[in-house]
Amino acid sequence: MRYVVVASLFFSAAVEAQEFGSLQKYAEYFGNSSFGPVQTKESTHFKVSWVHPRDGLIAKRLLEYMEAARESLKSKFSMAMSETRKAPIEIYPNLKSFSEVSQLALSRFRATGTIALTLDQRLMILSPRNLAGGYSWAETVVHEYAHYMIREITASYIPIWLHEGVAQLFQEYPRNLVAKLKPSQWGLFKKRRKAHSLLSLKTLQEPFPYRETPEEAELAYIQALLFVQWLDQKCGAVNLIVTAKKMKSIEKALGSCSGMSYESLESSFVPKIMDNVSVPTSSDVEFYARSFDQSDPMEFEGRKADKTAQNLAQLSEELFNQGRYRASGIEMNKALQATVVSPPSWRRHLALSLNKSGQAKKTKEVLEALLKDYPTDAAAWMLMGELDLKKQDEKAAYLAFLEAFYQNPFLEGLESSMGQLSQKYPDFEKIIIP
Amino acid sequence: MSSQLKQYLGRQKKRLEFYAALRLLGWLLLTGAVSYQLLENLEFYSIYIKAAHSLSVIWPSLKIGIVSIIAGLVLWRARKTLFSSDLMGAASRIEEESDYFESQKQFKTELTTAAAFLLKSESVMAEFEKAHIDIWSKRLGAYFVEIRPRVLDVGVLIVGALSLLAVSSVTGQRVYHLPGRVEAWSMSSYEERLPYAEADWTHKSGSLNVVSGSKIRFTAPDFGIWQSFFYVQEEGGPWTYKICNEYCEWEVEKNAQYAVGSLWHRSAKFPLLAIPDEAPKAVLFVLEGDELIPSAVVKVENKKSLNIQLLASDDIRLRSFRLLHRFEEADEVLSESEVHSKHFRMDYLLSMEEWKGGKHEIILKVKDDRLETESLPLTVYYADEEFMREQRIQNLRALVDEWVHILGDLIETNEDQRIFSELPARLKSLSYSEDMGEGLIAVYVEELKRLSQRIENELIESGRMSLLPELIKETEKQILYGLSLIFREKAGDLQSSTQGLDESRKSLGDLIQKLRDGKEKLSSEKIQKAFEDLLSKIEDLQNKIKNLPQGPQDEMLNREALDEQLSESEALEERIAEIQEMIANGQEEKAIKELESLMNQLGILSKEVERSMDQWQENFDQGAMQASEKFQNSLKEIREQQEALAEKTESLKNKQQNLEAKSQEDWKPMDEKDKEGLDKEFQEISKEQSKLQDKFQKITESFDKAVQGSDWEQVFRSQEAKDTETRILDRMGEATEKLNEQRAHDSLTSEQEAVDLLKKAESNQQKMREQVQKQSEMQMGAGGSRSRDVHEEIELLDSEGRGQKERRQKIMNSLRQKVEDRFQGSHERYFEDLLQR
């Protein structure tokens, strides 16, 4: 079965936890696991547990990353941070165990592509080992940690949109302090706004993963982030949570923050706040803003272009398989020019073709452009690292590998490449943020 | 002190005994060797005499017995020597060998006396005796000597050992020499026994000429008292002899020469010819028409049995045969039996029921008494649909790969603006397998040939670089079409699966809604049926996904996850089973939730696949078949336009008639304004008609181009079709002309004729396409759902003896001729032998 990750959807602990009774302890559940004994590792403020021996690969870096993230979040969440209690992070070896401990149906995981949860103040993630393309596991744990801290401030009064909005606002800490939407997200937002089908604030109070379609769920996350960004500018998102706790009401806190009554805030949410959001005008955003309704001429054109590009990409692959790397590169270039948005694998294929036909400089350019558009493309980082390694720029290579590691630590060959470099340069191991 | 002397003398006594034993051993060896050799000589020469030879059986035991008796006698004789030594003897030898006694001769015998005293018991010993012993004990240092062996002791031992050595080296080395004296003798007849267990002696005459491994014998000649011998010298070996009793016998292995005689005389030497035992021969024939083809390689298509003939022979006799069917390195015995003759022939109907497609070999294994041999295989390329499809796919894939290289060459030529060095040679070396079948693939191959020719002519020979982009585009189109053909060959119909899955999904969705609304029960048969339907659709789709050209593959992935996912590949089916189990367990709510989740997943899956399927359908549509469809659509469009024009002409004709009638009625020329209007309208319609004519010409030309060179050119562009098109063009031209002359009525007739002809052309096109489609479906065979006319075929690809076809034909004809009954067996054997050579 193909594992489909619809989007990075995360349940809100605030709502979910209420539905369940006490959850089974990690160590208890995996007491007699066939994977082996439960292993743990601790830092000053976190304790990570895992059971699959391979997951030990990410434990050390996860702790270091989380300590760095905590440090950068301190200015925002100091009131929620305990010096004595360590936040537990649990790595689940597979979807089945994740589903059984969290008491959420497997079908929900499958349908929503859920990979992380915060329940009972436990940060639970699915091991990136389970996903062929990996996922931003460190960033995901920071997202969950934001949920954790919100609940540390208050377990009540906080609606789902605020939980998810705030978690998204801070999830890229400590690497990026400003949350940004991806072109595909902007495109979706623009399309729905144009079609007057944005979600109302009331709708955003319902659990996101239960939206009718994955697209709607994604839209809920987008709108939540945009709204929280708007509120953050007004009074500070964390302050809003603290105020809600103090006033024992989110409505009152929102009124105090925005200077508008909750009712008027609710009524002006779409027509004023969402409509005033400035959407970037780049071509990829326009591409994603296409209507997927077949009567839309843009969509039709897009599909036609996609087919031409797909054909050219197929020809490029055929040429590559026959060892005609130069021609393969030329053909893939044509494919990329024929479409606005291409899968990152095509660009990696182009890079590989160029590299194999001895065009190192062009390879680097292609990879750099690819990483600009897809900064989390682990395979591209890995290729970049290999390229740097060829040029004997070992530090640059290690940094590229580290980027890949934060996305797909189990990428074939990555572990050994990093291992060889850190054996040669032990100081490299100390680098946390590439 | 006395005890010291006693010990000394005791040691010397043992020495003496040892020397005596050595001497005895020497005697034993000597007498044993000499007597054994004497007996050997006796035995060797006894063989000369017939009567003495009869003792040959007892000779070995006789030899051992006599030698043992002699050895016993020697031992008995020597026993005194061996045990005669005592202290006195030792003292006496010391007195002989010690220098002390040589210089003090007066003391000789004194030590012997002391030794005699020592033999007494101390209690009965007199004082002087004791004193004597003491004296000689004290003098021990002066006369001390170790007794040495005497020359005789050692000499006898050496001679004995040498004798033994000599006898043992001589024993068995003696040979009988071929007597020099020759006396006249000739063999009248002999008997032969062939080399197998139950063989009997058969009487033969003439020269000794036998199968290797056989035995021969003949009555031994009588030489009076002298023993008869059979002398044989095999190729490269020495002469050997065999004693003849009643018979002289020999097992023939090699060519040899032989003689008979006694040890004093012999006959002349005669040749003995050993014919090597040949391995049995086996051949399998395929019956093709009237002809039997040996060791053939045949391709069998849609035929369930094959007439073959088994033929085997041996120079001595056959024992058994086994007919084997070999497929994928596994042997299956089709038939086996014992045979008791030199020749064997059997007709056999080879059943190919339930055979899998691929290379099958039929082998005949035959055994004689010593050797086993197998025939050259009869190779059957059994072409079931699967096999034929695989073969077509392989050939097509190889061809597409070659063209991918050509595309690479063209792209690089375009990039460098210089002909890629390998391109001309590559185009020349392009090979097209004959096994491409007919229909779509054959048309495709023709297209490629045409394109190859075009590249050669227009690019390589004329050097028109400006054509490169067009040629690249065309090559790309052809490769993509080739890939879509491969996909279609692998997966069958491209579109129906996703549609089918979508329909199943929707109907299951409706059912879920009904479940939610309480209008349907979860355990109903409808649900079960919907599941089954869905499962079969998923299976079909999964097969197609597997074969779908995927484009650049993302290989830089986490392989651990892929491996785990692979083990979950059957998850969709498993999930359906899980849901069914939930239903069975009454977990309705949970089952419905799981169902909904499954529906989402299927939705994603079918959308994902639909997109790729669309693309390959479109690439497929680029082919010649589609050109016909396009042409038909254009014909329809032109016909509709012609009909519209005819309507306009009709109304113009009416208008003209009215105006003319009015003018006639009024006895006035037609109003100038009306006339102008009429002129204008005629011009416009005429212009439109002319345009339509051009358009028609263009579409026929373009269709010509599309199918030019393909197998279907004759079908789509038949003379009849071309005649119809010419007539359409003529009618359209006439209509234009008549419209220009404002002969509306005449024009209308031509236009209507053109419409009728267009309809005919349209329907012809439809019929032709159906015909081609039927033919191509027969070829495709994929997908399993199409009907297929069964076409039985055996094609002889090769035969081991094909070069000698004519010769074999003659032999076969001879074989079929009847001769007298009593000669029929040997007649057949003769020709069968010929056939096998």
Side-chain angles (χ1 to χ4, degrees):
Chain A
M1 187 199 78
R2 195 171 297 183
Y3 187 89
V4 183
V5 180
V6 179
S8 292
L9 305 178
F10 311 107
F11 288 139
S12 160
V15 170
E16 297 291 345
Q18 287 163 13
E19 288 182 19
F20 305 97
S22 169
L23 304 178
Q24 197 173 6
K25 297 258 183 301
Y26 187 87
E28 201 178 290
Y29 177 84
F30 290 109
N32 294 313
S33 166
S34 60
F35 296 116
V38 170
Q39 300 182 62
T40 56
K41 209 176 186 83
E42 293 179 33
S43 65
T44 319
H45 304 100
F46 298 92
K47 178 185 173 185
V48 63
S49 307
W50 71 96
V51 66
H52 194 294
R54 292 284 291 139
D55 290 333
L57 184 67
I58 61 168
K60 181 176 165 272
R61 285 218 172 261
L62 178 58
L63 286 173
E64 288 167 353
Y65 191 93
M66 288 310 294
E67 286 296 342
R70 187 182 183 278
E71 194 55 37
S72 66
L73 285 165
K74 216 171 187 172
S75 60
K76 306 278 180 187
F77 284 100
S78 57
M79 75 297 285
M81 290 174 176
S82 161
E83 288 302 324
T84 52
R85 198 156 50 85
K86 293 182 182 184
I89 305 169
E90 296 166 358
I91 303 173
Y92 285 84
N94 54 29
L95 213 51
K96 187 174 170 278
S97 57
F98 199 11
S99 153
E100 282 173 2
V101 175
S102 66
Q103 296 179 19
L104 288 164
L106 210 54
S107 56
R108 272 200 213 173
F109 281 94
R110 280 171 177 152
T112 58
T114 301
I115 42 171
L117 292 167
T118 304
L119 296 176
D120 272 358
Q121 290 304 72
R122 288 156 63 180
L123 313 182
M124 305 155 90
I125 63 163
L126 178 68
S127 164
R129 221 173 19 80
N130 287 268
L131 283 87
Y135 71 92
S136 308
W137 47 275
E139 197 178 297
T140 301
V141 181
V142 177
H143 177 105
E144 294 307 315
Y145 186 49
H147 285 306
Y148 173 93
M149 286 188 294
I150 294 169
R151 284 180 60 84
E152 285 292 295
I153 297 167
T154 174
S156 316
Y157 320 118
I158 310 302
I160 287 171
W161 60 263
L162 187 52
H163 247 289
E164 291 303 340
V166 171
Q168 287 182 87
L169 195 65
F170 298 115
Q171 71 186 21
E172 287 181 44
Y173 277 51
R175 302 192 63 183
N176 301 310
L177 304 184
V178 181
K180 282 181 192 158
L181 289 177
K182 291 177 198 143
S184 59
Q185 292 177 307
W186 278 123
L188 174 61
F189 178 73
K190 188 175 176 181
K191 182 175 75 180
R192 296 292 292 243
R193 188 165 73 178
K194 196 176 161 194
H196 304 291
S197 57
L198 288 176
L199 304 172
S200 68
L201 191 56
K202 202 173 174 186
T203 310
L204 290 186
Q205 285 173 2
E206 292 160 21
F208 289 5
Y210 302 155
R211 302 301 328 140
E212 277 176 22
T213 60
E215 192 184 88
E216 268 208 359
E218 175 75 349
L219 183 66
Y221 282 97
I222 296 165
Q223 284 186 244
L225 175 63
L226 292 172
F227 188 39
V228 168
Q229 276 177 330
W230 184 81
L231 290 167
D232 196 42
Q233 281 175 347
K234 296 271 176 200
C235 64
V238 182
N239 273 341
L240 177 67
I241 295 164
V242 175
T243 313
K245 184 189 174 187
K246 277 183 193 159
M247 295 182 159
K248 295 187 177 174
S249 157
I250 186 64
E251 288 81 4
K252 285 179 190 168
L254 278 171
S256 140
C257 180
S258 64
M260 294 161 81
S261 69
Y262 183 74
E263 288 72 25
S264 60
L265 192 65
E266 205 171 38
S267 60
S268 59
F269 174 70
V270 172
K272 286 192 179 157
I273 301 167
M274 290 294 118
D275 275 3
N276 283 338
V277 171
S278 156
V279 178
T281 52
S282 60
S283 61
D284 43 2
V285 170
E286 290 304 325
F287 177 83
Y288 284 114
R290 293 176 307 173
S291 156
F292 286 84
D293 171 5
Q294 291 202 348
S295 60
D296 182 351
M298 261 195 83
E299 159 64 5
F300 178 74
E301 281 307 308
R303 281 172 77 99
K304 212 168 114 188
D306 283 354
K307 280 181 190 170
T308 310
Q310 187 75 39
N311 280 340
L312 288 164
Q314 179 74 46
L315 290 165
S316 169
E317 170 80 352
E318 296 290 331
L319 286 160
F320 191 91
N321 290 342
Q322 296 298 322
R324 303 301 300 262
Y325 303 120
R326 188 177 173 220
S328 172
I330 294 167
E331 208 69 347
M332 186 53 87
N333 241 331
K334 276 159 67 180
L336 292 167
Q337 279 162 18
T339 182
V340 183
V341 177
S342 56
S345 62
W346 290 15
R347 286 157 81 176
R348 283 205 301 276
H349 183 90
L350 174 62
L352 277 174
S353 303
L354 291 171
N355 197 26
K356 280 193 180 271
S357 55
Q359 303 175 68
K361 201 179 158 199
K362 275 192 181 168
T363 311
K364 182 135 192 157
E365 283 170 14
V366 170
L367 286 175
E368 278 169 353
L370 170 62
L371 287 167
K372 203 176 155 197
D373 293 342
Y374 298 94
T376 56
D377 190 306
W381 280 116
M382 175 120 176
L383 284 176
M384 189 67 116
E386 282 168 358
L387 213 61
D388 287 332
L389 213 53
K390 253 190 200 169
K391 287 193 303 178
Q392 296 188 328
D393 188 349
E394 280 138 333
K395 177 86 184 278
Y398 189 82
L399 294 179
F401 289 148
L402 191 56
E403 290 278 12
F405 183 81
Y406 278 127
Q407 180 63 28
N408 195 354
F410 297 97
L411 188 65
E412 212 176 0
L414 182 62
E415 190 184 351
S416 68
S417 298
M418 286 181 82
Q420 280 165 16
L421 281 176
S422 50
Q423 207 171 12
K424 200 170 169 189
Y425 304 100
D427 279 357
F428 285 179
E429 288 247 16
K430 292 178 190 160
I431 304 169
I432 301 165
I433 309 297
Chain B
M1 286 299 277
S2 66
S3 67
Q4 202 177 357
L5 181 64
K6 196 174 181 179
Q7 276 174 9
Y8 169 65
L9 290 175
R11 269 203 322 273
Q12 296 313 311
K13 176 189 164 242
K14 278 179 185 163
R15 275 185 171 245
L16 274 182
E17 283 167 356
F18 174 68
Y19 297 148
L22 281 182
R23 199 167 58 245
L24 182 63
L25 179 66
W27 281 117
L28 264 176
L29 291 176
L30 186 62
T31 51
V34 170
S35 57
Y36 183 82
Q37 191 54 47
L38 280 170
L39 287 164
E40 271 278 307
N41 288 350
L42 203 59
E43 185 191 359
F44 183 78
Y45 290 108
S46 71
I47 210 167
Y48 281 62
I49 301 159
K50 206 186 280 177
H53 169 64
S54 57
L55 295 171
S56 64
V57 187
I58 57 160
W59 266 115
S61 23
L62 196 67
K63 274 193 277 185
I64 294 168
I66 293 173
V67 171
S68 307
I69 290 165
I70 293 170
L73 285 172
V74 172
L75 276 174
W76 181 75
R77 183 76 189 86
R79 78 184 194 287
K80 280 186 182 167
T81 322
L82 197 59
F83 304 110
S84 65
S85 301
D86 56 16
L87 292 182
M88 287 171 71
S92 172
R93 278 289 288 271
I94 292 165
E95 284 172 354
E96 277 174 37
E97 291 184 16
S98 173
D99 292 343
Y100 175 79
F101 291 104
E102 194 60 36
S103 59
Q104 304 287 327
K105 287 191 177 161
Q106 67 272 27
F107 295 133
K108 267 203 174 178
T109 69
E110 288 294 316
L111 185 63
T112 309
T113 311
F117 294 158
L118 275 172
L119 289 172
K120 290 184 178 176
S121 162
E122 210 165 329
S123 57
V124 294
M125 211 182 277
E127 280 306 312
F128 77 94
E129 288 171 335
K130 283 181 186 171
H132 189 77
I133 290 167
D134 280 346
I135 290 166
W136 283 101
S137 292
K138 281 173 190 162
R139 287 181 191 167
L140 183 58
Y143 59 81
F144 183 85
V145 71
E146 296 281 7
I147 296 172
R148 292 185 299 274
R150 286 186 178 159
V151 177
L152 184 69
D153 300 336
V154 179
V156 170
L157 186 67
I158 291 169
V159 172
L162 286 175
S163 313
L164 187 71
L165 208 67
V167 169
S168 64
S169 61
V170 167
T171 303
Q173 298 296 315
R174 300 192 63 167
V175 287
Y176 298 95
H177 292 284
L178 191 68
R181 197 156 64 90
V182 178
E183 285 184 5
W185 176 85
S186 67
M187 186 169 56
S188 54
S189 64
Y190 68 94
E191 286 173 285
E192 178 192 14
R193 194 166 75 185
L194 290 168
Y196 56 90
E198 312 88 55
D200 283 333
W201 290 103
T202 51
H203 202 78
K204 289 178 103 175
S205 58
S207 57
L208 274 175
N209 191 351
V210 292
V211 173
S212 178
S214 302
K215 282 185 175 173
I216 53 148
R217 70 179 187 185
F218 53 88
T219 313
D222 185 13
F223 297 121
I225 61 157
W226 303 117
Q227 178 65 44
S228 309
F229 283 88
F230 186 30
Y231 296 100
V232 183
Q233 185 192 29
E234 286 189 323
E235 259 176 6
W239 278 96
T240 53
Y241 75 94
K242 277 205 89 180
I243 293 165
C244 302
N245 293 316
E246 188 183 350
Y247 292 102
C248 293
E249 274 189 46
W250 186 253
E251 187 170 337
V252 182
E253 289 295 339
K254 288 178 176 175
N255 286 342
Q257 52 180 342
Y258 73 94
V260 290
S262 69
L263 284 172
W264 312 111
H265 66 280
R266 63 166 171 87
S267 70
K269 297 170 188 170
F270 301 102
L272 196 166
L273 199 61
I275 307 162
D277 177 17
E278 285 180 29
K281 295 184 187 77
V283 191
L284 283 168
F285 295 89
V286 168
L287 185 65
E288 192 197 52
D290 283 346
E291 198 185 342
L292 285 169
I293 311 294
S295 313
V297 179
V298 290
K299 183 179 164 189
V300 177
E301 202 177 309
N302 296 315
K303 207 168 153 29
K304 294 295 171 202
S305 63
L306 201 60
N307 284 307
I308 63 170
Q309 191 179 83
L310 287 57
L311 194 62
S313 69
D314 188 54
D315 51 348
I316 302 172
R317 67 160 191 172
L318 291 164
R319 292 303 310 272
S320 64
F321 83 89
R322 268 189 306 157
L323 186 66
L324 300 175
H325 169 213
R326 187 170 292 166
F327 181 62
E328 291 175 348
E329 292 179 9
D331 284 354
E332 174 205 0
V333 178
L334 296 175
S335 173
E336 63 183 329
S337 178
E338 285 192 359
V339 185
H340 299 285
S341 63
K342 279 177 83 171
H343 299 273
F344 163 73
R345 186 171 60 170
M346 186 172 106
D347 290 326
Y348 186 84
L349 184 69
L350 178 67
S351 166
M352 293 176 289
E353 290 280 351
E354 294 176 14
W355 270 23
K356 282 184 185 169
K359 184 184 173 188
H360 295 252
E361 284 182 334
I362 305 298
I363 293 147
L364 178 62
K365 274 193 174 183
V366 284
K367 260 184 175 176
D368 65 10
D369 288 280
R370 301 170 67 182
L371 302 162
E372 185 179 44
T373 193
E374 64 177 47
S375 68
L376 283 171
L378 157 63
T379 309
V380 181
Y381 285 96
Y382 186 68
D384 63 352
E385 288 197 2
E386 189 59 34
F387 176 77
M388 282 156 68
R389 196 165 71 236
E390 279 303 318
Q391 214 168 31
R392 276 199 303 275
I393 289 169
Q394 272 178 22
N395 292 336
L396 197 54
R397 184 69 244 187
L399 186 60
V400 169
D401 285 348
E402 282 185 66
W403 274 89
V404 168
H405 276 289
I406 291 172
L407 175 64
D409 294 347
L410 290 173
I411 289 170
E412 291 192 33
T413 301
N414 191 38
E415 196 71 3
D416 303 336
Q417 286 299 300
R418 185 161 42 87
I419 303 278
F420 189 78
S421 59
E422 288 171 33
L423 178 59
R426 205 187 305 278
L427 285 169
K428 282 201 167 60
S429 67
L430 271 177
S431 58
Y432 299 92
S433 163
E434 286 174 10
D435 255 4
M436 290 290 197
E438 293 165 14
L440 293 179
I441 297 178
V443 174
Y444 176 58
V445 169
E446 289 306 319
E447 286 286 310
L448 290 179
K449 283 181 185 166
R450 211 162 48 81
L451 182 59
S452 159
Q453 199 59 50
R454 211 181 139 203
I455 296 170
E456 244 179 286
N457 295 343
E458 296 179 7
L459 181 71
I460 296 171
E461 283 171 19
S462 313
R464 291 165 68 190
M465 291 290 185
S466 59
L467 286 176
L468 262 169
E470 193 189 323
L471 290 172
I472 291 173
K473 214 167 184 179
E474 182 61 20
T475 311
E476 286 174 344
K477 191 183 120 185
Q478 293 301 346
I479 292 171
L480 288 165
Y481 181 58
L483 290 172
S484 68
L485 279 175
I486 293 171
F487 176 40
R488 190 174 144 147
E489 282 281 323
K490 283 183 177 173
D493 187 12
L494 305 191
Q495 277 182 326
S496 64
S497 297
T498 45
Q499 285 167 2
L501 179 68
D502 228 28
E503 279 161 20
S504 303
R505 198 170 59 87
K506 275 178 191 153
S507 72
L508 191 63
D510 292 344
L511 271 174
I512 293 171
Q513 193 52 48
K514 282 181 187 165
L515 290 171
R516 284 239 173 266
D517 301 344
K519 292 176 187 167
E520 194 73 57
K521 279 192 176 171
L522 198 54
S523 55
S524 73
E525 272 179 27
K526 272 187 192 171
I527 285 276
Q528 294 302 329
K529 203 168 168 292
F531 277 144
E532 278 165 25
D533 187 38
L534 195 64
L535 266 174
S536 86
K537 297 280 165 42
I538 287 170
E539 208 172 299
D540 183 32
L541 199 66
Q542 276 174 342
N543 176 39
K544 287 189 177 158
I545 293 168
K546 199 172 69 194
N547 292 312
L548 201 64
Q550 297 288 336
Q553 292 300 289
D554 209 340
E555 284 174 0
M556 298 190 70
L557 294 165
N558 162 13
R559 214 136 292 278
E560 291 174 41
L562 285 185
D563 291 344
E564 277 187 25
Q565 281 166 23
L566 207 66
S567 63
E568 282 179 23
S569 61
E570 302 301 318
L572 274 178
E573 284 93 328
E574 275 174 21
R575 287 190 66 189
I576 291 178
E578 272 172 30
I579 295 168
Q580 283 172 315
E581 203 182 310
M582 284 176 195
I583 295 170
N585 295 338
Q587 297 170 288
E588 298 205 348
E589 193 54 33
K590 208 171 168 189
I592 290 177
K593 270 190 182 167
E594 279 291 334
L595 261 176
E596 282 168 341
S597 146
L598 181 71
M599 297 291 293
N600 280 338
Q601 205 178 331
L602 287 174
I604 292 163
L605 178 70
S606 73
K607 273 212 172 66
E608 221 175 285
V609 178
E610 196 180 354
R611 199 164 157 265
S612 298
M613 293 269 189
D614 269 5
Q615 182 185 349
W616 291 103
Q617 179 66 42
E618 199 170 291
N619 289 335
F620 183 71
D621 289 349
Q622 304 293 320
M625 270 288 285
Q626 281 60 41
S628 154
E629 203 171 340
K630 194 176 156 194
F631 181 58
Q632 193 193 343
N633 290 337
S634 304
L635 283 177
K636 188 183 169 203
E637 197 185 317
I638 287 174
R639 175 178 53 80
E640 283 166 0
Q641 284 173 352
Q642 187 63 67
E643 280 169 350
L645 264 182
E647 271 178 34
K648 277 187 188 173
T649 310
E650 172 90 44
S651 88
L652 192 61
K653 184 194 87 180
N654 292 338
K655 193 175 175 184
Q656 188 187 30
Q657 278 176 346
N658 288 340
L659 285 172
E660 277 173 358
K662 196 180 172 222
S663 152
Q664 277 174 4
E665 217 174 84
D666 296 346
W667 290 95
K668 274 187 198 170
M670 203 185 287
D671 186 68
E672 204 56 37
K673 211 176 163 185
D674 288 342
K675 194 173 182 310
E676 265 177 37
L678 212 57
D679 286 350
K680 208 179 162 188
E681 276 186 66
F682 266 114
Q683 271 172 17
E684 275 171 12
I685 296 178
S686 162
K687 223 177 182 176
E688 275 183 58
Q689 183 62 61
S690 172
K691 271 186 189 169
L692 201 59
Q693 189 183 348
D694 288 348
K695 194 175 170 184
F696 180 71
Q697 191 150 9
K698 269 183 195 161
I699 63 151
T700 54
E701 280 168 8
S702 118
F703 185 43
D704 261 341
K705 250 188 186 178
V707 294
Q708 191 182 28
S710 79
D711 263 10
W712 296 342
E713 188 179 1
Q714 285 309 310
V715 182
F716 286 133
R717 310 302 293 137
S718 64
Q719 200 50 51
E720 189 197 347
K722 282 190 175 172
D723 285 349
T724 310
E725 284 160 22
T726 313
R727 282 165 67 198
I728 293 169
L729 275 173
D730 286 349
R731 297 296 162 270
M732 285 179 164
E734 280 167 19
T736 312
E737 216 172 280
K738 284 165 188 168
L739 284 167
N740 281 337
E741 290 166 9
Q742 298 196 352
R743 289 158 60 193
H745 182 78
D746 293 343
S747 171
L748 192 60
T749 311
S750 300
E751 284 174 50
Q752 273 163 352
E753 276 177 20
V755 168
D756 290 343
L757 287 168
L758 278 164
K759 275 184 188 164
K760 186 183 169 192
E762 228 180 289
S763 113
N764 279 348
Q765 206 55 231
Q766 174 76 30
K767 277 181 198 159
M768 287 166 198
R769 210 172 48 258
E770 278 168 8
Q771 187 187 332
V772 172
Q773 184 70 38
K774 198 175 164 190
Q775 195 184 342
S776 79
E777 279 178 3
M778 267 169 60
Q779 288 298 314
M780 302 293 286
S785 59
R786 295 189 196 107
S787 64
R788 195 165 190 279
D789 291 341
V790 177
H791 166 67
E792 286 190 359
E793 187 180 275
I794 299 177
E795 184 189 345
L796 184 67
L797 302 176
D798 194 13
S799 159
E800 185 259 334
R802 223 184 178 189
Q804 300 177 11
K805 193 173 165 185
E806 209 172 302
R807 176 180 159 268
R808 288 181 192 285
Q809 189 61 54
K810 281 181 184 169
I811 297 171
M812 286 305 297
N813 291 339
S814 307
L815 187 59
R816 285 189 200 107
Q817 283 175 4
K818 286 278 165 196
V819 290
E820 254 185 76
D821 282 350
R822 62 195 173 113
F823 298 128
Q824 187 64 38
S826 58
H827 167 81
E828 284 183 5
R829 278 198 295 278
Y830 172 76
F831 286 109
E832 279 167 359
D833 273 352
L834 279 181
L835 266 177
Q836 290 176 55
R837 278 171 205 158

